[in-house]
Each structure stands twice: as C-alpha cells, then as structure tokens.
Amino acid sequence: MRPSARRPAPPLVRAFGTGPGCTTRTPRRRVLVVHPGALPAGHYAELAAALPPDAALHVVDLEQVPEYFQAALRGGRAGVTVPELARQAADALRSQGLFDRPWTLVGWSFGGVVGHALTALLATDELPRRAVLLDSIAPVPAYTRDDEEVGADLVVPWFCMYLAAKRGGTLAAPVPGPAGPGDVDGPLTAVLGEALEHGVLRPGTTLPGLRKVYDAYVDGLLRNNRLVRGFRPAPARVPVTLLRPERGLLDTPDPLGWEQLAGDLTVERTPGDHYTMLRDPVAVKTTAARVLDSRT
C-alpha cells in the first residue's frame, strides 16, 4: 500500500494578487495585512478586489504559526511572544521580497499589535508609508486586562458578533439576567436559542457543543491578552490611521490607547462591527481608500 502523502502546511504569507484588471505581474504598491485568525484569511478578498489594478495584497496569517494557533486549544498559553511573531512575519515578508516597493500595513484586532511590533524590526527603507489599524486595541497598560476580567459579561457580546460573522446572519447579545458571577451556561442558553431562531447555528446544535466553541473563543482571547501583557511596545515609527466600526470591541470615545504610541494618529469611523467590518462594502471601501491615501 502506497503511504498517504501529507499535505504541505499552508504558508505564513498568502498572496491575493493585484487588483482586477491588472496588466502586469509587478505591482506598483503593496498592502500587507497582519491577520490574527478567528475568521478565515479569505475575508480579505473583498479588500483585495477594492484595490486599484496596480496594488497587490498579501496576508500574514498568524494562525499558521503553530505556537500561536495551538495556544487557543490549550488554555490560551502561547509558547511565543509578540516580538517573536513579528520576527517571523518580517522574515517571511522579506524572504518573498515584499518590502521592495511602497507599501501600507494593515492590522485587524490583535494583528494591529503584531503589525506595530513588526515595524520596530524593520530598517528605515523597509518601513510602510502608513499603518491602518482595524479596531485594534493598543498594547498599553490602560487597555490590558487580567485573566479574571475576561468574563462572560464582557465576552458574550463579542462572541455573538463572532458567531454571526462566521456563520452568517445577525445575532444580538442576550439582555443580562440575574446570572451569578462565573455563570456562562445561562447567557449561552439565551445565545443558543437566538442563534437557532435566526439560522446562525444549525438545527440540533446543543448547549455543550456551543460551549466548546465558546471556550475555544475565550482561550484565543486569553492568549492574545497574555501576549500583550508581556509586550513593551516602542513608539510608532509611521503615521497611524485607526478605523473604528459602529460596534467595536470597546464602547469608548478614546482611540483605544494608540494616542500613547502614535504621534501622527488619525481616527475614523466605518460601518459594521468588529468582525463584519472586514467584509461590509462601505467599510471595505473606506479601508481601501485609507491604505492608498495620497498623503502616504
């Protein structure tokens, strides 16, 4: 019997090519995205399509780093640091020659933190023209939480946004009830009923099944939060644009801590929520316009 061939691991950097109608294989400018996972990297196809013909988009998919991905399956304890993730991203991009022409950095969520760390490792002539951060929370103490603070009251609304974006449809977070501290099954029971009613989850989905998905989601949050707690960021070396959706992770007028790191900071609003902003047509057009801002 012929031994089965093992499929090669997906690459750390995925190319989406140039914009539609491109007549050359050599783009004039690049958009390099740092993606932290949770949603598939394919969610950036709309952004790639919104770019002009001379712009190429590549995605650094952090879930292809085993130490990072596996941490979400084992209690959120990662065997890697933010600078190490940034170093792997920089090495992969450099090895493909992707710093060879003007480029813009895009970082969604925790990807913005790794993207910020990435710029600290680059030579001056390798730096992007601008960093465009999509609902990314700065790695500063004021926005860093202890593990005990990552509870159901904070996470369940985020989990509802995540489920809706991943499965399709809409899903409102349940109204908080009289559940006691640490009670997750109560809120998740309400989420399950709402999700089944609106077709976000398949018929027959059980509470234990949903709880497994929720636990993995929480472990991913704990992983990223712990990585941030151990990271000491340097000041930004490039202008930063922060795009905040209508429903972001945090309901605050402050620029999510980036004013502490970026001297040249612009904040704008887009439609959608933390997850749907990657595919919402208006949000995607806004992102495309900012990554190609003529000021850069």
Side-chain angles (χ1 to χ4, degrees):
M1 179 180 294
R2 182 177 300 175
S4 58
R6 300 183 65 179
R7 292 184 179 181
L12 178 58
V13 179
R14 175 178 173 183
F16 279 82
T18 51
C22 183
T23 58
T24 175
R25 292 185 178 181
T26 305
R28 188 170 65 88
R29 46 194 170 174
R30 302 189 189 279
V31 177
L32 306 181
V33 181
V34 181
H35 178 58
L39 296 178
H43 274 54
Y44 297 98
E46 284 86 348
L47 177 57
L51 297 176
D54 67 347
L57 184 143
H58 293 72
V59 176
V60 178
D61 186 357
L62 296 179
E63 285 198 336
Q64 304 312 318
V65 178
E67 299 89 345
Y68 177 78
F69 173 73
Q70 292 168 6
L73 306 177
R74 58 188 185 204
R77 304 191 182 281
V80 69
T81 66
V82 170
E84 288 167 354
L85 287 171
R87 173 66 67 187
Q88 291 193 46
D91 290 346
L93 293 167
R94 191 178 288 115
S95 69
Q96 295 189 29
L98 297 180
F99 298 141
D100 63 338
R101 58 201 67 240
W103 66 283
T104 301
L105 169 72
V106 175
W108 172 63
S109 195
F110 179 71
V113 175
V114 178
H116 177 79
L118 165 67
T119 62
L121 303 175
L122 301 180
T124 301
D125 61 354
E126 294 178 320
L127 285 171
R129 301 294 182 89
R130 177 173 295 273
V132 178
L133 308 181
L134 310 181
D135 204 30
S136 178
I137 300 173
V140 295
Y143 285 87
T144 304
R145 299 176 183 273
D146 294 329
D147 287 359
E148 296 75 18
E149 297 179 86
V150 185
D153 57 338
L154 177 73
V155 175
V156 168
W158 297 357
F159 182 62
C160 289
M161 288 192 286
Y162 162 76
L163 275 183
K166 193 171 180 66
R167 309 281 183 173
T170 59
L171 182 61
V175 177
D183 176 21
V184 175
D185 286 348
L188 284 184
T189 299
V191 171
L192 178 61
E194 189 83 7
L196 290 173
E197 180 180 347
H198 289 85
V200 175
L201 293 176
R202 296 176 181 175
T205 301
T206 63
L207 180 60
L210 182 61
R211 179 63 188 262
K212 288 182 180 179
V213 178
Y214 175 83
D215 288 344
Y217 179 79
V218 171
D219 284 347
L221 295 177
L222 289 172
R223 170 197 61 195
N224 295 347
N225 195 54
R226 290 165 180 165
L227 286 171
V228 167
R229 285 209 302 263
F231 176 47
R232 297 295 177 265
R237 299 174 67 195
V238 299
V240 174
T241 296
L242 174 65
L243 297 183
R244 300 194 60 188
E246 292 173 349
R247 293 179 59 217
L249 291 183
L250 299 179
D251 184 16
T252 172
D254 297 330
L256 304 181
W258 289 106
E259 76 283 0
Q260 299 181 36
L261 299 175
D264 186 348
L265 174 66
T266 304
V267 183
E268 296 189 31
R269 292 281 180 173
T270 72
D273 63 35
H274 180 72
Y275 296 96
T276 61
M277 71 182 301
L278 298 184
R279 306 187 81 172
D280 179 275
V282 176
V284 168
K285 287 183 180 179
T286 301
T287 302
R290 296 304 167 264
V291 300
L292 301 174
D293 194 319
S294 61
R295 292 174 296 173
T296 65

